[in-house]
Amino acid sequence: MRTRMLALSLLSGASLLAAAALPAAADGTAGSGGGTAEDPVSAAELLARVKSCTRISAGKYRTDRGGPATVPVCGTKGAVFWKADMDIDCDGRITEACNSRTDPSFLPETAFRTSAGRPLDSARLPYVVVPGPGPLWNHTRSGIGGGGVAAVIYRDQVQYAVVGDTGPTGIIGEASYATAEALGIDPDPRSGGTASGVTYILFKDSEVSPIESRAAAVTAGRALAREFVGNE
């Protein structure tokens, strides 16, 4: 768990598909290339689009405090991405899974809030953490803001999520308890996470509304992912 920056930065004016009857479960896909807009996009299809990196960050990020700086933020048409570890963010709403007893570094706030103005529920809502604006990169200048749509890939699974929190300006690679759990990663904020193998793809100028709708993130994520893999 990392110290949060509480700078609220929301993008507006993005229109996405409404979430009608999609399940709230993890969206682990096994689609194939050349599918229709309704077909789930596979992890392999998404990874093929982010094989090479055009760095947009001024330098590289650390995955842990005191570790080497090895992770650039990369940019491509329609998205930014990075490949890192996953630490567990258990901040926000107090729940049985996320509280000051389960997480000694727990904070009852998230940088971005629900449509009712409350902290996000990290135990239920898949979200990713972006580094706070700093000398390496300012996510807002790349069209990334609170509620933005993300695809998180681990092994052969894809989990759609929202941008839900911000972290230190020099560290990257973190997602909510719910994101980890959906991908089969140990979500324990003290001992869980994974040391490598996670790809984070954030779609530019996107926004899920309301931010707390897990189903809406899946609807929007599937549409944006299909568009993304179709762009050359």
Side-chain angles (χ1 to χ4, degrees), residues 44-63:
E45 287 179 278
L46 285 167
L47 292 175
R49 285 287 286 117
V50 296
K51 288 175 65 175
S52 61
C53 174
T54 300
R55 193 176 78 187
I56 61 172
S57 55
K60 295 182 179 182
Y61 284 89
R62 305 176 191 277
T63 57

Side-chain angles (χ1 to χ4, degrees), residues 180-206:
E181 186 175 48
L183 290 170
I185 296 170
D186 183 356
D188 190 313
R190 293 167 298 185
S191 60
T194 184
S196 63
V198 183
T199 300
Y200 303 80
I201 302 173
L202 280 58
F203 299 105
K204 297 177 181 178
D205 301 316
S206 63

Side-chain angles (χ1 to χ4, degrees), residues 27 57 149 162 179 224:
D27 190 42
S57 55
V149 184
V162 297
T179 308
L224 288 166

Side-chain angles (χ1 to χ4, degrees), residues 129-158:
V129 179
V130 295
L136 292 179
W137 180 54
N138 184 335
H139 60 273
T140 64
R141 295 176 183 170
S142 296
I144 306 299
V149 184
V152 187
I153 304 160
Y154 180 66
R155 296 180 177 170
D156 61 348
Q157 293 203 68
V158 180

Side-chain angles (χ1 to χ4, degrees), residues 86-122:
M86 182 184 288
D87 291 331
I88 307 303
D89 185 327
C90 216
D91 290 343
R93 180 180 173 183
I94 298 173
T95 62
E96 182 178 352
C98 293
N99 55 67
S100 59
R101 289 179 287 102
T102 61
D103 180 1
S105 300
F106 175 78
L107 291 174
E109 294 289 344
T110 50
F112 307 108
R113 288 173 164 253
T114 69
S115 55
R118 301 187 182 96
L120 300 180
D121 184 346
S122 58

